């Protein structure tokens, strides 16, 4: 049982594109296949709108913790080109987004006035950030219920020889304050 990572990343990117953003940075890390699917969904949104994929930049952080996101954005900001026209940052996790917000704040860049930030996971921390974090909510409760049902079915109905199944659930964009219109 998994969230629809590729579709949800596409949804978030399309939402940013619909708000006028064209140059979007996708901050991610090298990790599980779920993270790769989020990158794919990010790029799918550009292809779907027939926009040059080069407008979407993928930047790899060293990990997924807030400190990794903060360091990645600080490095970009210290570079001569800085954010180089980027108007939105879509983070592959809320943890990275928290670090991104800290780095932007430290450099005097206002969210959402100067740049938009969107996270992914929908963890409760997004309610506590300043500004509150726009994010993609992963349906954790529903995933747990369906995982239990699948396990019960395998053990009591289908038996251990039944082929495994994959259940992919949709995610929802939670529009808070951290993403604006340009």
């Amino acid at each position: 049982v998994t969230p629809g990572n590729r579709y949800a990343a596409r949804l978030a990117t399309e939402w940013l594109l619909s708000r006028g953003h064209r140059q979007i940075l996708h901050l991610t890390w090298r990790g599980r296949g779920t993270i790769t699917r989020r990158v794919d969904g990010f790029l799918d949104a550009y292809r779907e709108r027939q926009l040059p994929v080069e407008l979407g930049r993928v930047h790899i952080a060293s990990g997924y913790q807030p400190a990794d996101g903060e360091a990645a954005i600080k490095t970009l900001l210290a570079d001569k080109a800085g954010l180089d026209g980027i108007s939105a940052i879509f983070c592959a996790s809320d943890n990275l987004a928290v670090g991104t917000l800290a780095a932007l704040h430290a450099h005097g860049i206002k969210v959402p006035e100067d740049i938009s930030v969107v996270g992914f996971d929908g963890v409760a921390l997004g309610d506590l950030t300043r500004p509150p974090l726009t994010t993609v909510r992963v349906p954790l409760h529903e995933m747990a219920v369906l995982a239990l049902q699948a396990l019960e079915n395998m053990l009591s109905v289908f038996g251990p020889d039944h082929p495994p199944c994959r259940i992919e659930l949709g995610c929802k964009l939670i529009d808070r304050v951290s993403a604006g219109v340009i």
Side-chain angles (χ1 to χ4, degrees), residues 9 13 24-29 35-40 42-43 56-60 86 88-93 120:
T13 307
I24 303 169
L25 175 75
H26 181 52
L27 182 60
T28 188
W29 73 96
I35 299 310
T36 302
R37 285 189 279 287
R38 291 176 190 181
V39 172
D40 292 340
F42 170 72
L43 298 173
R57 285 177 43 193
V58 176
H59 187 70
I60 310 293
I86 291 169
I89 302 173
F90 169 42
C91 300
S93 72
F120 198 113

Side-chain angles (χ1 to χ4, degrees), residues 27 64-74 89-106 111 117-135 176 178:
L27 182 60
Y64 63 90
Q65 295 298 326
D68 300 319
E70 186 173 3
I73 297 301
K74 282 184 175 179
I89 302 173
F90 169 42
C91 300
S93 72
D94 286 351
N95 277 343
L96 287 177
V98 167
T100 295
L101 291 172
L104 294 170
H105 178 75
V111 177
V117 177
V118 174
F120 198 113
D121 291 326
V123 297
L125 188 61
D127 289 331
L128 304 175
T129 62
R130 292 293 163 246
L133 182 63
T134 297
T135 189
R176 291 192 182 110
S178 68

Side-chain angles (χ1 to χ4, degrees), residues 104 108-116:
L104 294 170
I109 299 170
K110 295 178 183 166
V111 177
E113 295 86 350
D114 300 329
I115 193 163
S116 292

Side-chain angles (χ1 to χ4, degrees), residues 30 46 52 69 96:
R30 298 204 190 285
Y46 279 93
L96 287 177

Side-chain angles (χ1 to χ4, degrees), residues 7-64:
Y7 173 77
R10 179 178 163 185
L11 172 74
T13 307
E14 286 176 345
W15 184 79
L16 284 166
L17 291 169
S18 75
R19 296 171 73 88
H21 298 281
R22 290 297 175 264
Q23 293 188 47
I24 303 169
L25 175 75
H26 181 52
L27 182 60
T28 188
W29 73 96
R30 298 204 190 285
R32 308 175 304 256
T34 57
I35 299 310
T36 302
R37 285 189 279 287
R38 291 176 190 181
V39 172
D40 292 340
F42 170 72
L43 298 173
D44 287 346
Y46 279 93
R47 289 185 195 101
E48 178 66 25
R49 288 184 174 246
Q50 299 178 353
L51 293 169
V53 175
E54 298 77 33
L55 288 175
R57 285 177 43 193
V58 176
H59 187 70
I60 310 293
S62 61
Y64 63 90

